[in-house]
Protein backbone atom coordinates (compact mmCIF):
# COMPACT_ATOMS: atom_id res chain seq x y z
CA UNK A 1 0.00 0.00 0.00
CA UNK A 2 1.27 3.45 -0.93
CA UNK A 3 2.17 5.66 2.03
CA UNK A 4 -0.61 8.24 2.11
CA UNK A 5 0.14 11.93 1.68
CA UNK A 6 -3.23 13.66 1.78
CA UNK A 7 -4.44 17.22 2.18
CA UNK A 8 -8.03 17.69 3.33
CA UNK A 9 -9.86 20.89 2.39
CA UNK A 10 -12.94 21.40 4.52
CA UNK A 11 -14.61 23.22 7.39
CA UNK A 12 -16.65 22.16 10.40
CA UNK A 13 -20.11 21.65 8.87
CA UNK A 14 -22.13 18.46 9.29
CA UNK A 15 -20.95 17.35 5.86
CA UNK A 16 -17.48 18.84 6.16
CA UNK A 17 -16.43 16.73 9.14
CA UNK A 18 -17.11 13.38 7.44
CA UNK A 19 -13.69 12.93 5.78
CA UNK A 20 -11.90 13.84 9.02
CA UNK A 21 -13.81 11.09 10.80
CA UNK A 22 -12.84 8.56 8.10
CA UNK A 23 -9.19 9.65 8.14
CA UNK A 24 -9.02 9.43 11.93
CA UNK A 25 -10.83 6.09 12.13
CA UNK A 26 -8.44 4.61 9.56
CA UNK A 27 -5.39 6.20 11.17
CA UNK A 28 -4.34 7.90 7.92
CA UNK A 29 -1.90 10.81 8.33
CA UNK A 30 -3.07 14.00 6.63
CA UNK A 31 -2.78 17.76 6.48
CA UNK A 32 -5.82 19.99 6.63
CA UNK A 33 -6.71 23.43 5.30
CA UNK A 34 -9.75 25.21 6.69
CA UNK A 35 -11.86 26.67 3.89
CA UNK A 36 -13.63 29.83 5.07
CA UNK A 37 -17.01 29.66 3.36
CA UNK A 38 -18.16 33.16 4.31
CA UNK A 39 -15.07 34.52 2.57
CA UNK A 40 -16.01 32.45 -0.51
CA UNK A 41 -12.66 30.66 -0.56
CA UNK A 42 -14.46 27.66 -2.09
CA UNK A 43 -14.94 29.69 -5.27
CA UNK A 44 -11.34 30.77 -5.67
CA UNK A 45 -9.64 29.49 -8.86
CA UNK A 46 -7.13 27.30 -7.01
CA UNK A 47 -9.92 25.46 -5.18
CA UNK A 48 -12.09 25.09 -8.29
CA UNK A 49 -9.21 23.11 -9.82
CA UNK A 50 -9.73 20.61 -7.00
CA UNK A 51 -13.53 20.72 -7.03
CA UNK A 52 -15.12 22.41 -10.06
CA UNK A 53 -18.39 22.54 -8.11
CA UNK A 54 -16.92 24.88 -5.49
CA UNK A 55 -18.04 22.84 -2.48
CA UNK A 56 -16.34 21.36 0.56
CA UNK A 57 -15.07 18.82 1.41
CA UNK A 58 -12.34 17.76 -0.99
CA UNK A 59 -8.99 16.03 -0.75
CA UNK A 60 -5.81 15.86 -2.79
CA UNK A 61 -3.82 12.63 -2.64
CA UNK A 62 -0.25 13.79 -3.25
CA UNK A 63 1.02 10.20 -3.13
CA UNK A 64 -1.00 9.48 -6.28
CA UNK A 65 0.13 12.32 -8.54
CA UNK A 66 -1.89 14.98 -6.69
CA UNK A 67 -5.12 13.18 -7.45
CA UNK A 68 -8.15 15.27 -6.35
CA UNK A 69 -11.36 13.79 -4.97
CA UNK A 70 -14.49 15.78 -4.17
CA UNK A 71 -17.93 14.91 -2.73
CA UNK A 72 -17.91 13.44 0.79
CA UNK A 73 -19.25 10.04 -0.28
CA UNK A 74 -16.70 9.71 -3.08
CA UNK A 75 -13.92 10.74 -0.66
CA UNK A 76 -15.01 8.15 1.91
CA UNK A 77 -15.09 5.31 -0.62
CA UNK A 78 -11.77 6.42 -2.14
CA UNK A 79 -10.04 6.42 1.24
CA UNK A 80 -11.38 2.98 2.09
CA UNK A 81 -10.51 1.54 -1.32
CA UNK A 82 -6.93 2.78 -1.09
CA UNK A 83 -6.08 2.91 2.62
CA UNK A 84 -8.24 0.38 4.49
CA UNK A 85 -6.41 -2.94 4.04
CA UNK A 86 -7.86 -4.30 7.28
CA UNK A 87 -11.41 -3.60 6.06
CA UNK A 88 -12.18 -1.54 9.16
CA UNK A 89 -14.87 0.53 7.47
CA UNK A 90 -15.59 -1.08 4.10
CA UNK A 91 -15.58 -4.85 3.47
CA UNK A 92 -13.77 -5.99 0.35
CA UNK A 93 -13.98 -9.78 0.36
CA UNK A 94 -17.63 -10.27 1.30
CA UNK A 95 -19.73 -8.96 -1.61
CA UNK A 96 -23.03 -9.02 0.30
CA UNK A 97 -21.63 -7.24 3.35
CA UNK A 98 -19.90 -4.72 1.12
CA UNK A 99 -23.14 -4.07 -0.74
CA UNK A 100 -25.03 -3.55 2.53
CA UNK A 101 -22.52 -0.94 3.67
CA UNK A 102 -22.62 0.89 0.35
CA UNK A 103 -26.45 0.82 0.34
CA UNK A 104 -26.52 2.69 3.66
CA UNK A 105 -23.81 5.08 2.49
CA UNK A 106 -25.99 5.90 -0.53
CA UNK A 107 -29.04 6.19 1.73
CA UNK A 108 -27.21 8.97 3.56
CA UNK A 109 -25.99 10.61 0.35
CA UNK A 110 -29.40 10.61 -1.34
CA UNK A 111 -31.65 11.05 1.69
CA UNK A 112 -30.29 12.18 5.03
CA UNK A 113 -27.69 14.61 3.69
CA UNK A 114 -29.81 16.45 1.11
CA UNK A 115 -32.90 16.60 3.33
CA UNK A 116 -31.04 17.97 6.33
CA UNK A 117 -29.12 20.31 4.05
CA UNK A 118 -32.39 21.80 2.79
CA UNK A 119 -33.72 21.98 6.33
CA UNK A 120 -30.56 23.76 7.48
CA UNK A 121 -31.17 26.43 4.87
CA UNK A 122 -34.79 27.02 5.81
CA UNK A 123 -34.22 26.75 9.58
CA UNK A 124 -30.93 28.61 9.93
CA UNK A 125 -29.77 30.40 6.77
CA UNK A 126 -32.80 31.78 4.98
CA UNK A 127 -33.43 35.41 6.09
CA UNK A 128 -37.18 34.81 5.85
CA UNK A 129 -38.85 31.92 7.69
CA UNK A 130 -41.04 29.69 5.51
CA UNK A 131 -43.10 27.50 7.87
CA UNK A 132 -44.33 25.15 5.13
CA UNK A 133 -40.77 24.36 4.01
CA UNK A 134 -39.48 24.00 7.59
CA UNK A 135 -42.28 21.60 8.52
CA UNK A 136 -41.96 19.61 5.29
CA UNK A 137 -38.24 19.08 5.86
CA UNK A 138 -38.71 18.19 9.54
CA UNK A 139 -41.33 15.58 8.67
CA UNK A 140 -39.09 13.99 6.04
CA UNK A 141 -36.13 13.95 8.44
CA UNK A 142 -38.29 12.17 11.02
CA UNK A 143 -39.42 9.65 8.41
CA UNK A 144 -35.78 8.92 7.56
CA UNK A 145 -34.87 8.67 11.23
CA UNK A 146 -37.68 6.16 11.60
CA UNK A 147 -36.06 4.00 8.91
CA UNK A 148 -32.73 4.13 10.76
CA UNK A 149 -34.36 3.49 14.12
CA UNK A 150 -36.14 0.37 12.86
CA UNK A 151 -32.99 -0.89 11.14
CA UNK A 152 -31.03 -0.53 14.39
CA UNK A 153 -33.47 -2.63 16.38
CA UNK A 154 -31.49 -5.29 18.23
CA UNK A 155 -28.21 -4.03 16.73
CA UNK A 156 -25.43 -1.71 17.79
CA UNK A 157 -24.54 -0.62 14.26
CA UNK A 158 -26.21 -0.63 10.85
CA UNK A 159 -24.25 -3.43 9.15
CA UNK A 160 -22.61 -6.54 10.55
CA UNK A 161 -23.02 -5.26 14.10
CA UNK A 162 -19.75 -3.34 13.79
CA UNK A 163 -18.90 0.30 13.08
CA UNK A 164 -18.52 0.80 9.32
CA UNK A 165 -18.74 3.50 6.71
CA UNK A 166 -22.53 3.10 6.92
CA UNK A 167 -22.46 4.55 10.44
CA UNK A 168 -19.62 7.01 9.92
CA UNK A 169 -21.40 8.85 7.11
CA UNK A 170 -24.82 9.19 8.75
CA UNK A 171 -23.66 9.98 12.27
CA UNK A 172 -22.49 13.61 11.71
CA UNK A 173 -25.88 14.47 10.22
CA UNK A 174 -28.02 12.72 12.82
CA UNK A 175 -26.12 14.12 15.80
CA UNK A 176 -26.89 17.59 14.43
CA UNK A 177 -30.64 16.96 14.30
CA UNK A 178 -31.37 20.04 16.42
CA UNK A 179 -29.58 22.24 13.87
CA UNK A 180 -31.80 20.77 11.15
CA UNK A 181 -35.10 21.54 12.86
CA UNK A 182 -35.66 18.33 14.84
CA UNK A 183 -35.16 19.34 18.45
CA UNK A 184 -35.27 15.85 19.97
CA UNK A 185 -34.78 12.26 18.83
CA UNK A 186 -36.27 10.75 22.00
CA UNK A 187 -38.97 9.10 19.89
CA UNK A 188 -36.22 7.09 18.16
CA UNK A 189 -34.57 5.22 21.08
CA UNK A 190 -32.43 2.90 18.96
CA UNK A 191 -31.12 5.84 16.95
CA UNK A 192 -30.47 7.89 20.08
CA UNK A 193 -28.48 5.01 21.63
CA UNK A 194 -26.54 4.62 18.36
CA UNK A 195 -25.55 8.31 18.42
CA UNK A 196 -24.41 7.98 22.04
CA UNK A 197 -22.42 4.85 21.15
CA UNK A 198 -20.57 6.61 18.35
CA UNK A 199 -20.07 9.68 20.56
CA UNK A 200 -17.77 7.46 22.65
CA UNK A 201 -15.39 6.66 19.77
CA UNK A 202 -12.15 8.65 20.29
CA UNK A 203 -11.18 8.70 16.59
CA UNK A 204 -14.61 9.96 15.58
CA UNK A 205 -14.42 12.68 18.21
CA UNK A 206 -11.05 13.78 16.81
CA UNK A 207 -12.59 13.94 13.35
CA UNK A 208 -15.44 16.12 14.58
CA UNK A 209 -12.84 18.70 15.63
CA UNK A 210 -11.20 18.94 12.21
CA UNK A 211 -10.37 21.56 11.05
CA UNK A 212 -12.02 23.63 13.82
CA UNK A 213 -13.45 22.79 17.26
CA UNK A 214 -16.74 20.88 17.09
CA UNK A 215 -19.24 23.50 15.88
CA UNK A 216 -22.37 21.41 16.44
CA UNK A 217 -21.39 20.74 20.03
CA UNK A 218 -20.80 24.45 20.61
CA UNK A 219 -24.18 25.36 19.13
CA UNK A 220 -25.99 22.75 21.19
CA UNK A 221 -24.33 23.80 24.45
CA UNK A 222 -24.48 27.55 23.77
CA UNK A 223 -27.76 28.64 22.11
CA UNK A 224 -26.55 32.23 22.00
CA UNK A 225 -23.71 31.13 19.71
CA UNK A 226 -26.23 29.51 17.40
CA UNK A 227 -28.33 32.68 17.38
CA UNK A 228 -25.26 34.76 16.55
CA UNK A 229 -24.36 32.34 13.74
CA UNK A 230 -27.87 32.57 12.30
CA UNK A 231 -27.66 36.36 12.17
CA UNK A 232 -24.36 36.16 10.28
CA UNK A 233 -25.86 33.65 7.84
CA UNK A 234 -28.89 35.87 7.25
CA UNK A 235 -26.59 38.73 6.28
CA UNK A 236 -24.49 36.45 4.06
CA UNK A 237 -27.48 35.00 2.21
CA UNK A 238 -29.24 38.33 1.87
CA UNK A 239 -26.20 39.49 -0.04
CA UNK A 240 -25.90 36.30 -2.11
CA UNK A 241 -29.60 36.08 -2.91
CA UNK A 242 -29.94 39.86 -3.35
CA UNK A 243 -32.94 39.99 -1.03
Amino acid sequence: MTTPDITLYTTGTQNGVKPGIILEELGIPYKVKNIELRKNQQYEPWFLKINPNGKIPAIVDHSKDDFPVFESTAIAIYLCENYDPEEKLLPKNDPKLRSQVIQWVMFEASGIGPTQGQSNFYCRFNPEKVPFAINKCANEIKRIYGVLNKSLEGKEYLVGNKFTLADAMSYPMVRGHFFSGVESIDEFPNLKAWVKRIDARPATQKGLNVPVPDIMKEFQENPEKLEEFEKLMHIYFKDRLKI
Side-chain angles (χ1 to χ4, degrees), residues 14-15 17-19 21-22 57 71-77 101 104-106 108-109 112-113 158 163-174 194 198:
Q14 288 165 293
N15 190 51
V17 299
K18 293 173 188 174
I21 290 173
I22 307 306
E71 292 294 331
S72 56
T73 303
I75 293 168
I77 293 173
V101 171
W104 282 110
V105 169
M106 296 306 172
E108 190 283 326
I112 303 172
L158 286 166
F163 183 81
T164 68
L165 210 56
D167 307 286
M169 296 302 283
S170 290
Y171 164 77
M173 303 303 299
V174 177
W194 172 83
I198 300 174

Side-chain angles (χ1 to χ4, degrees), residues 41-113:
Q41 289 183 336
Q42 69 274 25
Y43 301 124
E44 292 180 5
W46 69 268
F47 186 78
L48 292 174
K49 289 179 182 179
I50 298 169
N51 182 0
N53 196 34
K55 305 287 184 183
I56 58 95
I59 65 168
V60 172
D61 190 344
H62 306 291
S63 59
K64 297 186 184 297
D65 301 316
D66 293 332
F67 185 70
V69 187
F70 59 89
E71 292 294 331
S72 56
T73 303
I75 293 168
I77 293 173
Y78 176 87
L79 291 172
C80 289
E81 292 283 11
N82 287 277
Y83 301 112
D84 185 15
E86 298 174 10
E87 302 181 39
K88 291 179 180 178
L89 298 182
L90 182 62
K92 292 183 175 67
N93 298 313
D94 185 329
K96 290 182 179 178
L97 206 60
R98 178 183 175 85
S99 177
Q100 287 178 330
V101 171
I102 290 177
Q103 287 171 54
W104 282 110
V105 169
M106 296 306 172
F107 177 80
E108 190 283 326
S110 64
I112 303 172

Side-chain angles (χ1 to χ4, degrees), residues 109-126:
S110 64
I112 303 172
T115 304
Q116 289 197 216
Q118 287 183 41
S119 190
N120 291 350
F121 177 78
Y122 287 115
C123 288
R124 307 298 178 188
F125 304 153
N126 192 16

Side-chain angles (χ1 to χ4, degrees), residues 88-223:
K88 291 179 180 178
L89 298 182
L90 182 62
K92 292 183 175 67
N93 298 313
D94 185 329
K96 290 182 179 178
L97 206 60
R98 178 183 175 85
S99 177
Q100 287 178 330
V101 171
I102 290 177
Q103 287 171 54
W104 282 110
V105 169
M106 296 306 172
F107 177 80
E108 190 283 326
S110 64
I112 303 172
T115 304
Q116 289 197 216
Q118 287 183 41
S119 190
N120 291 350
F121 177 78
Y122 287 115
C123 288
R124 307 298 178 188
F125 304 153
N126 192 16
E128 298 178 8
K129 297 297 183 185
V130 184
F132 173 80
I134 292 172
N135 292 333
K136 182 178 183 296
C137 288
N139 289 335
E140 177 61 8
I141 291 169
K142 287 183 178 182
R143 186 196 69 79
I144 291 169
Y145 285 2
V147 173
L148 289 169
N149 189 67
K150 186 174 181 180
S151 299
L152 285 164
E153 190 168 339
K155 298 190 296 185
E156 292 191 347
Y157 298 103
L158 286 166
V159 177
N161 217 25
K162 62 168 284 190
F163 183 81
T164 68
L165 210 56
D167 307 286
M169 296 302 283
S170 290
Y171 164 77
M173 303 303 299
V174 177
R175 75 184 285 265
H177 58 85
F178 69 95
F179 188 82
S180 302
V182 177
E183 289 301 323
S184 171
I185 56 172
D186 287 349
E187 64 186 285
F188 308 108
N190 300 324
L191 186 63
K192 186 175 180 179
W194 172 83
V195 169
K196 188 174 181 180
R197 197 171 295 125
I198 300 174
D199 282 343
R201 297 183 67 85
T204 291
Q205 288 303 310
K206 283 187 71 175
L208 290 173
N209 287 275
V210 173
V212 294
D214 186 350
I215 291 173
M216 286 296 122
K217 183 179 180 182
E218 182 180 34
F219 288 163
Q220 193 164 34
E221 293 178 350
N222 300 288

